[in-house]
């Protein structure tokens, strides 16, 4: 019987790759992997930055809920250091003065400070939002490393030191906001509430922005009092009085020096013409 449809002989295909073809495939896969590695390496820091922003946002929500329940009064960004002798200190959002002392259990036990402070009932009782997830600082107690409980700080000018400027000359002429309705300038969307601070710089509950040189404008007088976080691609998370949160990256290397053993006691670092200082000033407060 004769074939009537496509009587061409069968074409045989190779059943395996040659060594050269395998090497070419492996080289191509290696090239693709090398192109993807930078993106994969950044995925974890990016996720930590996202979580940090979420912690900032949740803590700011607690701050706003507190004001709603307390006649618009703002919790103080810090106590004034006088302890129980000043009853207003109990309205500070934290009384914990951060350092690396193994003799202070409040540094690693949230029940000794965080659980007792005014914002705790509004946080869904989640102590993790008081920290940036990238903060790996710890205290060594009896040869055991204990993670510190806080890396968030509050804008000094939101409540101040128990309602005052704390005796700092650079704050004498600057507005200390005691109610959210007073935050008209820079305005709620432009006034930061919380930020994540460097573990080697964080100390009291407030983040100090030195307003020297803001008005009258003199950038030669710019000074850094506290150093902000920098682990998120040379930036840190901020929450603002209107409830939103954002990542801000620093542009001047003087704002992000290498980590020190402990910097918390440093009062000032001159930083003339630093654009990052100008940004902090513009989002902190205004002259009276």
């Amino acid at each position: 019987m004769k074939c009537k449809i496509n009587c061409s002989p069968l074409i045989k295909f190779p059943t395996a790759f040659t060594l050269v073809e395998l090497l070419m495939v492996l080289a191509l896969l290696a090239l693709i992997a090398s192109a993807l590695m930078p993106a994969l390496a950044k995925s974890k820091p990016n996720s930590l930055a996202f979580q940090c922003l979420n912690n900032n946002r949740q803590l700011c929500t607690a701050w706003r809920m507190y004001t709603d329940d307390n006649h618009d009064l703002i919790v103080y960004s810090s106590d004034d250091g006088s302890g129980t002798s000043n009853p207003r200190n109990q309205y500070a959002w934290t009384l914990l003065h951060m350092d690396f002392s193994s003799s202070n259990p409040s540094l690693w036990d949230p029940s000794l400070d965080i659980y007792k402070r005014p914002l705790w009932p509004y946080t869904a009782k989640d102590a993790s939002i008081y920290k940036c997830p990238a903060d790996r600082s710890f205290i060594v107690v009896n040869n055991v490393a204990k993670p510190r409980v806080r890396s968030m700080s509050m804008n000094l000018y939101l409540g101040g030191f128990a309602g005052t400027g704390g005796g700092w000359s650079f704050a004498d002429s600057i507005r200390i906001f005691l109610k959210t309705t007073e935050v008209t300038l820079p305005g709620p969307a432009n006034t930061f509430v919380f930020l994540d601070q460097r573990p080697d710089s964080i100390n009291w509950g407030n983040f100090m922005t030195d307003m020297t040189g803001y008005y009258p404008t003199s950038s030669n007088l710019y000074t850094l009092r506290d150093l902000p976080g920098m682990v998120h691609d040379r930036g840190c998370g901020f929450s603002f009085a209107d409830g939103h949160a954002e990542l801000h990256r620093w542009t001047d290397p003087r704002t992000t020096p290498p980590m020190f053993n402990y910097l918390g006691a440093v009062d000032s670092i001159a930083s003339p013409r630093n654009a990052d200082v100008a940004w902090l000033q513009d989002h902190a407060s205004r002259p009276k």
Side-chain angles (χ1 to χ4, degrees):
M1 181 176 177
K2 292 184 178 180
C3 176
K4 296 183 178 179
I5 302 176
N6 192 8
C7 295
S8 301
L10 294 175
I11 300 174
K12 294 183 178 181
F13 294 94
T15 58
F17 289 108
T18 66
L19 178 59
V20 172
E21 289 170 332
L22 284 173
L23 291 175
M24 290 178 64
V25 170
L26 290 174
L28 181 60
L29 290 174
L31 183 62
I32 294 173
S34 65
L36 289 176
M37 281 303 292
L40 293 174
K42 289 184 178 181
S43 63
K44 185 174 181 180
N46 285 343
S47 68
L48 293 179
F50 178 82
Q51 187 178 341
C52 181
L53 284 178
N54 191 50
N55 289 352
N56 263 286
R57 188 181 296 108
Q58 290 186 65
L59 200 54
C60 188
T61 297
W63 175 81
R64 289 166 58 85
M65 291 172 67
Y66 175 89
T67 65
D68 290 342
D69 285 350
N70 289 274
H71 309 288
D72 197 41
L73 294 174
I74 292 175
V75 292
Y76 301 135
S77 63
S78 177
D79 64 297
D80 66 1
S82 64
T84 56
S85 64
N86 183 355
R88 290 185 300 179
N89 283 331
Q90 66 180 308
Y91 299 109
W93 85 282
T94 179
L95 296 179
L96 177 56
H97 299 172
M98 300 292 294
D99 55 29
F100 287 89
S101 171
S102 60
S103 63
N104 182 3
S106 296
L107 294 169
W108 67 84
D109 185 350
S111 69
L112 299 180
D113 180 70
I114 288 176
Y115 293 1
K116 298 177 180 180
R117 302 274 57 85
L119 298 187
W120 179 246
Y122 303 94
T123 62
K125 298 184 177 180
D126 182 2
S128 70
I129 68 174
Y130 288 73
K131 285 193 67 173
C132 168
D135 181 358
R136 299 288 188 260
S137 64
F138 58 88
I139 309 295
V140 177
V141 181
N142 297 324
N143 297 318
V144 177
K146 294 182 179 290
R148 300 200 301 175
V149 297
R150 180 171 68 85
S151 56
M152 300 296 184
S153 294
M154 184 185 291
N155 180 356
L156 168 65
Y157 300 101
L158 294 175
F161 293 89
T164 74
W168 293 87
S169 59
F170 66 81
D172 287 344
S173 61
I174 305 301
R175 297 179 65 186
I176 302 289
F177 304 116
L178 301 179
K179 294 184 176 183
T180 58
T181 49
E182 297 175 358
V183 188
T184 54
L185 287 173
N190 293 302
T191 304
F192 78 86
V193 181
F194 292 102
L195 81 164
D196 56 283
Q197 191 172 343
R198 289 168 55 129
D200 60 345
S201 176
I202 190 171
N203 39 51
W204 292 29
N206 69 74
F207 179 88
M208 280 188 174
T209 301
D210 192 324
M211 298 293 287
T212 305
Y214 182 77
Y215 184 84
T217 303
S218 181
S219 62
N220 289 332
L221 300 178
Y222 285 171
T223 300
L224 285 163
R225 294 284 173 175
D226 288 327
L227 293 177
M230 63 174 188
V231 296
H232 303 306
D233 196 15
R234 297 181 64 84
C236 72
F238 282 87
S239 58
F240 292 79
D242 69 341
H244 87 276
E246 64 184 55
L247 183 69
H248 183 78
R249 290 184 175 88
W250 310 113
T251 60
D252 193 309
R254 291 173 294 177
T255 312
T256 56
M259 290 285 185
F260 298 87
N261 288 334
Y262 180 55
L263 211 158
V266 173
D267 287 339
S268 65
I269 303 173
S271 197
R273 297 173 297 282
N274 186 336
D276 297 329
V277 174
W279 189 92
L280 286 166
Q281 290 179 339
D282 202 42
H283 292 82
S285 185
R286 290 291 185 271
K288 295 177 180 176

